[in-house]
């Protein structure tokens, strides 16, 4: 289903999702319950939509002031895959959302501020353009939107199709992590190769490397953007106290190398290392 | 949004945290007036960056003359790229001990973390590295906030039990900056215990979430107009751009933070240095491209511009048309290389070539090309650059 | 503490809930002044109990004369044992529809419950019985409060989707009475939608937790002095007693609510009727016993007093001494039977007997004995009773 | 352990508990950590006390403004039986405490506003006087303090000793319910008989009756106080809407009778019905 289906973004991307064959069974838009939009029944609330249609995944296309509530509404209504595209959600809202989601352990949140996910030729939730993709064995997981498209295109152009492409989003406080997504790829029979596209900041790449270092059946290439980005103009020490030396491109690349994962220095190198 | 010390203290004081009396001074004469009102003062540079003490940005003044001299020396000084616009003259404290207290977002834990240490002061990062156990930590539940018993435990864990009451109250008030102001970081270092036993904020740092500005219009109105050091960042902020100044000579425009950062990496690999980071986001409308180009061209160090766009939904021909229009409007003479990929890339490249703009086949080639062109480039006459706004940039002080 | 309607409305208005303009009137002349200020008004009895409408405590006044007559009729009227001290003259609303909204503590769920129904008005209890599904319910998490999506669902569940915005805002503000005022029950019935489409509180009921009075001294100061109907309850409250007036003739004192209630049950079983419920709690200090006895003796219906004390920690001899002292101080002439059990009960009984007070062997025997004695008793002259305080009991109106 | 051990109430009852042989291993009193009181080591926080002594049960004797925090502190520190004696805690505080305790499912709260529990001759937490008790096979659970003492005395005087006496407290929002305590008595080999002392208000007695009606190995007598108490002078309808006809002495007595439980009409009848 799609939350905010009648909005401009919601409408446009619902059509894109339908064009790929995604089974969009419901949408929400408070006050428009009972109407139909793009051939899809519209409900006032997610709980109403779930009750009527059995929807189990939701893409969220609502503005930042309403997106945190939309995520929690989806989780409380029993949605198990929540994909939040919205960019610009305040961090403290997301921290509260993350705590709320602890009460709904079967709900997985992707994003916010992410392009969503796509299984080429099958279905998608979010905004990843279908035409950069091609069906195949490579799992692709990324923190960056446009870099995902760039690498996806390059893979497709080289004949390396993708099983699923997952954009986890660029915000500091996210739902699914690299680690979570890699665990899912490990269990996915259609995936034999893996590309991880990280960036500076946080320790999610380090944690992913640690997981891969314990042994993986996937042939993996990692790429980190921001190698030459200067350290932010920090003020205060709190950040430094808790993060220490983690979070730099160097520490992330080193973590992947120590885990036996090939590291690409430019995106152009990824295809070669993956073969 | 990062607040200056005096602004952060105003805010913390409104949350119930004790601060020393102080006066903002934009001129040495105002610093003298501050001395006359307050007696011995610390004269402190107001810049949104740490390390000003070590850079000579804080001086103690025991006489009016010392206050004047300190202000003369500090106002206009450059601290880590920020030109000091004003000083804060604050009543000097008789320090018995210095405590560190602060919170920030712990990305890995997806939570806020409160930090408290009996070893406050300028060496706190060293303390964190050498004896991390001397910093007590607490992750408050974001809906409930810190519980009384958690604060008690934090204070005793930090070895500050004899100050349990004032510290618990101060930490509780400091934490209010999270639900009430969408603060991302707030820090009091040092939190001073005076010889008289008062507990009072010696310094204060506060950063609030710009994504939450719509919830805090008052804060934005009160402090958002205040201008930070780098003039290009200031101008970019006015135009609503995501822009960071760097110290190289190649201007960079990209869509998406990851793509933009990887473009910086490629320029460095090609032997050049980026003059900025500028992410124009998805969509890349003509107006945004023109704003980005305008700000980049204001910087006289810039010798060439590289634009790297991957069109997912954006159409390449439209980006190309917008760019040509912007270049012409701005009468841009500097080399410009564009890597355009994705939807309608062929059509876009054709438009660029027809208008004398060099398209790169891929990002790496584009990076090599702009570095090559920029190295050959001779300085452009100032007349060919857009000017910074004519009015002088001044700091507004909420009085 | 149960607030009167006009007080509850003052509080709800301060929380952001729309209320009609109104004026408090203690005399018919003041009601006329209210009419002159507001035009057509509803003249409403102010009593801390429901059902005043059916009891004739609300009259519509379309002229000054009607306002005067309504006030004359209502002020002084008795509604369920409360003598009406004043009326509230409120601008009459043009009612389009009536909604019910309220919250209370659901003991079984150990949680607060929000209730919303499109079928508001005086028959809401009947609605609850006959079509419970027409009342939408929400248990908000007590730390987070109601979430936006929960309120949206509640409003649509109640069939009030077209009023989603104003209703969500009103419910959110009503809920603030929980964290901000320690409210136990708050109710707006009817919540009126006027012909002009405004949503406004037609009536308001608010009860706050007396155990939390220390957190809300302002509330206590503003409304705590206002006196409710029953003079013995008022007096008992002033003396800090847990006391409820009943309509029988046997005064009851017990320690512990359960023991006290079971004492009432025994008196009824023995053929008598209790004049009150008075729990003096654990410890049972002499001063508390004296206060309890004093309030009970003020009631001319009382023909005998039964005291039932089980001493867990309390020593029976001390209770006995305190009681004898209190009786003598109050010059009590009425029959008094005491059941004293637990620690040092023998010593206690001995003291009672020596002082002419009848000890019961057990609670059942004691109950039978006091009923028997009270039935034989002839009325006591008024002089033998402690007087109510001389000053007239008046309601204070916060202006 | 005892929270608030250095206070007047805490001191007095700690001595009483020790006199019965209760193994009091720790106490708390912020600022007095490191000292000793009544031979017991005092700590600043419950977590410190648990770490040092392994305490697993706590009696709380602190004033109402601090008691809710004390309960949550005990739960967070891993205490599994929390007995809160404090009277006069605001109801909204207890509602928040109850929600907090959901995060600590192994922590049991008894009270607040309860006399605690005692196993005659063995140990007690709380304020039930030892001298009204006698060891034996009767489990006693009650909402009322003094009625508990009265019935306990009557049982002891008749030679009917008690396995354990549990006062669940008289507040509207409580920790353990009749049901919870009865389930524990069912599993307690030392208990063969049961006395339940309820009062008007709420539906806890009805729920207990329902449980007993499903079959019980305990010979049970119930007593409800407040049969003749008038309905409270209610204002507002919210209470009536949610509680309907439950909560009266009549409905409670009927529920027990329907469950096959003997109902005493006065406390004096209890002993006779129990034999």
């Amino acid at each position: 289903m799609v939350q905010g289906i009648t909005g401009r973004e919601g409408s446009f991307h619902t059509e894109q999702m339908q064009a790929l064959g995604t089974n969009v069974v419901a949408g929400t838009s408070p006050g428009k319950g009972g109407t139909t939009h793009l051939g899809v029944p519209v409900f006032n609330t997610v709980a109403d939509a779930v009750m009527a249609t059995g929807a189990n995944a939701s893409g969220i296309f609502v503005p930042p002031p309403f997106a945190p509530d939309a995520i929690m509404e989806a989780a409380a209504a029993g949605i198990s895959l929540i994909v939040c595209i919205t960019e610009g959600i305040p961090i403290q809202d997301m921290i509260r959302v993350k705590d709320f989601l602890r009460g709904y352990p079967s709900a997985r949140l992707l994003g916010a501020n992410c392009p969503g996910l796509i299984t080429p030729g099958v279905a998608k939730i979010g905004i990843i353009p279908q035409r950069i993709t091609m069906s195949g064995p490579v799992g692709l997981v990324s923190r960056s939107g446009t870099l995902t498209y760039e690498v996806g295109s390059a893979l497709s152009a080289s004949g390396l199709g993708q099983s699923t492409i997952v954009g986890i989003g660029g915000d500091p406080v996210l739902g699914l992590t690299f680690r979570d997504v890699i665990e899912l790829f490990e269990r996915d029979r259609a995936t034999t190769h893996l590309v991880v596209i990280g960036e500076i900041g946080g320790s999610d790449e380090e944690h992913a490397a640690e997981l891969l270092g314990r042994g993986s059946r996937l042939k993996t290439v990692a790429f980190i953007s921001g190698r030459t980005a200067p350290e932010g103009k920090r003020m205060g020490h709190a950040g430094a106290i808790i993060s220490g030396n983690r979070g730099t491109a160097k520490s992330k690349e080193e973590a992947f190398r120590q885990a036996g994962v090939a590291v690409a220095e430019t995106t152009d190198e990824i295809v070669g290392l993956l073969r | 949004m990062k607040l200056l010390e005096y602004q952060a203290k105003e805010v913390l004081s409104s949350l119930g945290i004790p601060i020393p009396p102080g006066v903002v001074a934009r001129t040495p004469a105002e610093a003298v007036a501050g001395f006359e009102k307050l007696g011995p003062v610390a004269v402190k540079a107001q810049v949104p960056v740490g390390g000003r003490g070590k850079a000579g940005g804080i001086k103690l003044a025991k006489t009016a003359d010392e206050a004047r001299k300190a202000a003369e020396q500090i106002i206009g000084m450059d601290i880590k790229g920020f030109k000091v616009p004003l000083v804060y003259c604050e009543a000097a404290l008789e320090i018995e001990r210095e405590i560190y207290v602060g919170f920030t977002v712990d990305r890995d834990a997806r939570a806020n973390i409160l930090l408290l240490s009996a070893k406050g002061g300028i060496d706190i990062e060293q303390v964190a590295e050498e004896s991390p156990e001397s910093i007590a930590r607490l992750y408050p539940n974001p809906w409930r906030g810190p519980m009384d018993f958690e604060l008690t435990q934090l204070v005793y864990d930090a070895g500050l039990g004899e100050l349990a009451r004032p510290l618990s109250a101060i930490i509780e008030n400091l934490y209010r900056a999270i639900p009430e102001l969408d603060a991302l970081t707030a820090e009091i270092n040092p939190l001073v215990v005076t010889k008289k036993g008062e507990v009072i904020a010696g310094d204060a740092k506060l950063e609030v979430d710009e994504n939450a500005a719509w919830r805090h219009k008052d804060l934005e109105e009160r402090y958002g107009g205040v201008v930070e050091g780098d003039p290009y960042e200031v101008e970019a902020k006015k135009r609503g751009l995501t822009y960071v100044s760097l110290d190289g000579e190649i201007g960079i425009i990209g869509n998406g933070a990851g793509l933009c950062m990887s473009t910086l990496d490629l320029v460095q690999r090609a032997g050049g240095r980026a003059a900025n980071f500028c992410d124009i986001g998805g969509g890349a409308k003509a107006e945004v491209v023109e704003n980005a180009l305008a700000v980049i061209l204001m910087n006289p160090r810039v010798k060439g511009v590289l634009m790297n766009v991957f069109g997912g939904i954006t159409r390449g021909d439209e980006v190309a048309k917008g760019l040509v229009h912007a270049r012409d409007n701005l009468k841009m003479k500097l080399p410009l290389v564009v890597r355009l990929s994705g939807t309608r890339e062929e059509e876009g490249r054709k438009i660029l070539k027809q208008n004398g703009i060099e398209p790169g086949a891929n990002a790496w080639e584009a990076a090599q090309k702009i570095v090559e062109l920029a190295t050959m480039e001779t300085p452009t006459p100032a007349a060919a650059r857009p000017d910074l706004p004519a009015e002088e940039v001044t700091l507004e002080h909420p009085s």
Side-chain angles (χ1 to χ4, degrees), chain A, chain B:
Chain A
M1 63 171 289
V2 173
Q3 287 172 259
I5 194 168
T6 58
R8 200 170 56 87
E9 295 285 311
S11 288
F12 177 79
H13 290 290
T14 299
E15 282 188 308
Q16 298 287 314
M17 284 156 62
Q18 289 174 322
L20 177 57
T22 313
N23 181 24
V24 181
V25 297
T28 56
S29 183
K32 296 190 182 147
T35 66
T36 297
H37 185 70
L38 305 172
V40 175
V42 178
F43 298 87
N44 292 315
T45 67
V46 178
D48 289 354
V50 168
M51 183 101 70
T53 68
N56 61 1
S58 182
I60 295 178
F61 294 87
V62 303
F66 310 106
D69 189 63
I71 297 170
M72 294 186 282
E73 178 180 13
I79 294 288
S80 56
L81 176 60
I82 304 163
V83 179
C84 185
I85 310 303
T86 312
E87 184 182 348
I89 299 177
I91 291 179
Q92 295 298 348
D93 282 349
M94 282 307 297
I95 289 176
R96 283 185 284 266
V97 166
K98 288 288 291 180
D99 184 73
F100 183 90
L101 293 179
R102 276 171 219 261
Y104 300 89
S106 62
R108 285 195 181 103
L109 169 67
L110 187 60
N113 188 16
C114 81
L117 77 174
I118 183 168
T119 296
V122 179
K124 76 167 182 176
I125 305 177
I127 62 173
I128 299 175
Q130 189 194 347
R131 63 182 162 279
I132 64 149
T133 69
M134 176 178 137
S135 191
V138 182
L140 172 55
V141 56
S142 168
R143 249 163 82 177
S144 154
T146 40
L147 265 187
T148 311
Y149 306 165
E150 165 139 9
V151 174
S153 291
L155 291 171
S156 299
S158 312
L160 289 167
Q162 304 92 45
S163 56
T164 297
I165 301 177
V166 182
I168 61 170
D171 280 357
V173 174
L174 289 172
L176 291 180
T177 62
F178 278 124
R179 228 184 134 114
D180 298 329
V181 176
I182 292 170
E183 277 171 355
L184 294 169
F185 275 130
E186 291 280 3
R187 277 146 51 189
D188 175 34
R189 299 220 156 199
T191 305
T192 57
H193 292 61
L194 176 65
V195 177
V196 179
I197 301 174
E199 47 182 64
I200 49 170
S203 308
D204 277 4
E205 291 81 357
E206 284 87 336
H207 294 144
E210 194 206 339
L211 176 71
L212 290 166
R214 283 195 230 138
S216 167
R217 62 176 192 83
L218 305 171
K219 181 166 182 187
T220 303
V221 176
F223 171 76
I224 307 294
S225 70
R227 315 172 90 219
T228 58
E231 249 191 283
K233 285 165 186 165
R234 266 193 301 110
M235 51 181 285
H237 302 279
I241 291 172
I242 60 159
S243 64
N245 292 321
R246 297 169 303 164
T248 65
K250 201 177 154 194
S251 81
K252 289 171 195 298
E253 291 184 348
E254 227 166 80
F256 280 115
R257 287 204 184 92
Q258 278 184 9
V261 172
V263 175
E265 299 206 347
T266 66
T267 53
D268 294 347
E269 291 181 13
I270 293 174
V271 169
L273 289 168
L274 200 61
R275 283 197 204 268
Chain B
M1 184 168 63
K2 291 173 183 174
L3 271 60
L4 298 174
E5 177 196 7
Y6 82 91
Q7 299 167 335
K9 281 186 171 163
E10 262 182 13
V11 172
L12 294 189
S13 173
S14 77
L15 296 175
I17 293 175
I19 60 166
V23 161
V24 173
R26 259 159 287 190
T27 62
E30 285 177 6
V32 170
F35 173 88
E36 275 156 9
K37 186 176 165 201
L38 302 168
V41 288
V43 179
K44 306 201 254 182
Q46 298 296 288
V47 279
V49 66
R52 63 186 171 160
K54 286 180 182 163
I58 301 180
K59 290 188 194 301
L60 206 67
K62 291 185 182 165
T63 66
D65 202 46
E66 283 177 13
R68 182 197 318 278
K69 279 186 187 151
E72 277 168 2
Q73 285 168 9
I74 296 172
I75 295 172
M77 178 186 249
D78 183 280
I79 298 179
K80 296 191 182 174
F82 293 94
K83 196 179 157 195
V84 178
L86 51 75
V87 291
Y88 188 49
C89 301
E90 196 177 59
L93 298 172
E94 290 197 286
I95 297 173
E96 175 73 32
R97 66 187 299 185
E98 295 187 330
I99 292 167
Y100 172 94
V101 63
F103 67 76
T104 192
V105 175
D106 182 342
R107 285 180 69 139
D108 290 336
R110 274 91 165 110
N112 296 296
I113 182 168
L114 271 166
L115 301 161
L116 176 67
S117 175
K119 298 180 178 175
I122 53 170
D123 294 326
I124 186 69
E125 278 191 47
Q126 200 180 328
V127 169
E129 206 162 303
E130 289 169 8
S131 54
E133 76 290 347
S134 69
I135 299 175
R137 290 142 205 257
L138 170 65
Y139 289 96
N141 178 284
W143 296 95
R144 295 192 289 257
M147 316 289 283
D148 290 346
F149 74 83
E150 291 176 331
L151 291 177
T152 305
Q153 189 73 52
L154 184 76
V155 171
Y156 279 101
D157 284 351
L160 290 164
E162 75 277 17
L163 294 168
R165 264 163 213 237
L167 282 181
S168 293
I170 284 171
I171 300 171
E172 223 166 307
N173 285 331
L174 185 67
Y175 183 87
R176 283 173 55 198
I178 292 179
E180 294 180 25
L181 306 171
D182 273 283
L184 299 177
T185 298
E187 195 174 82
I188 304 175
N189 185 33
L191 177 65
V192 171
V193 182
T194 66
K195 293 201 188 300
K196 285 180 192 156
E198 298 156 302
V199 184
I200 185 163
D203 192 2
K205 294 190 168 61
L206 184 61
E207 180 176 3
V208 296
D209 190 347
E210 300 195 19
N211 278 344
W214 52 273
R215 262 201 293 248
H216 310 287
K217 295 220 171 99
D218 49 333
L219 213 62
E220 188 67 24
E221 267 170 36
R222 201 168 166 82
Y223 303 121
V226 175
V227 162
E228 293 178 6
D230 182 278
Y232 313 113
E233 291 185 358
V234 168
E235 185 59 27
K237 194 178 173 188
K238 284 186 191 160
R239 295 177 186 234
L241 296 168
T242 303
Y243 175 102
V244 180
S245 276
L246 303 172
D247 52 9
E249 62 290 327
I250 313 283
I252 307 280
I253 301 173
N255 68 331
L259 187 69
C260 211
M261 279 198 291
S262 78
T263 310
L264 260 60
D265 297 348
L266 291 173
V267 166
Q268 166 124 345
R269 202 175 164 82
R273 293 172 72 212
N276 69 282
F277 169 103
C278 182
D279 171 14
I280 53 171
K285 287 185 186 159
E287 196 196 333
V288 180
V289 173
E290 184 165 337
N291 273 322
L293 211 49
V295 171
I296 287 171
L297 294 177
M298 283 172 197
N299 180 350
R301 279 202 310 269
V302 170
K303 296 204 166 60
V305 175
L306 172 58
M307 180 160 167
N308 189 1
V309 170
F310 189 96
I313 297 148
T314 327
R315 286 166 50 169
D317 50 351
E318 287 183 357
V319 171
K321 279 182 207 161
L323 181 61
V324 168
H325 185 75
R327 185 204 53 175
D328 294 349
N329 265 7
L330 294 166
K331 302 188 175 58
M332 177 183 179
K333 299 279 191 293
L334 291 178
L336 174 61
V337 174
V338 178
R339 182 278 181 128
L340 198 59
S341 207
T343 320
R344 295 222 188 207
E345 61 178 64
E346 286 313 321
E347 291 87 335
R349 280 188 198 159
K350 209 168 139 187
I351 293 168
L352 292 177
K353 273 186 192 161
Q354 284 165 351
N355 287 278
I357 297 172
E358 202 60 51
N362 62 38
W364 172 226
E365 276 183 32
Q368 288 173 300
K369 194 169 286 175
I370 191 62
V371 170
E372 191 189 331
L373 290 170
T375 314
M376 299 187 321
E377 170 73 3
T378 47
T380 326
R385 303 180 183 283
D387 283 334
L388 272 176
E391 326 87 284
E392 211 195 341
V393 173
T394 50
L395 268 171
E396 282 169 275
H397 178 232
S399 51

